[in-house]
Amino acid sequence: MSTSTTLGLWVAYGPNGVVGSIRHDDEGYRVTMAGADASAGTYPSLTVAKSALYALMTPGSDWPNFREH
């Protein structure tokens, strides 16, 4: 069993609240949408992860506000 250390956390906020999060760990940047049971994927950079999270949002949504925690 492997363990990953979280190196960073960004929460994405839309007009109605949290829409998802991005966690940076040993494997990359892991995108998880709000309310999801599993991550939507792991990406090589924060920029790519932000774009992936946005692509999973409802079409026509505004770009979310990402806040580092």
Side-chain angles (χ1 to χ4, degrees):
M1 182 169 130
S2 66
T3 59
S4 293
T5 302
T6 299
L7 304 173
L9 170 65
W10 293 262
V11 177
Y13 295 90
N16 296 320
V18 175
V19 295
S21 65
I22 300 171
R23 293 181 191 281
H24 182 206
D25 59 29
D26 299 335
E27 297 176 17
Y29 293 84
R30 187 177 313 274
V31 172
T32 305
M33 300 307 290
D37 292 332
S39 73
T42 302
Y43 302 91
S45 73
L46 180 58
T47 300
V48 174
K50 286 180 177 181
S51 294
L53 186 148
Y54 178 64
L56 293 167
M57 293 173 60
T58 304
S61 296
D62 289 334
W63 185 263
N65 179 5
F66 291 94
R67 296 184 202 158
E68 187 173 6
H69 289 266

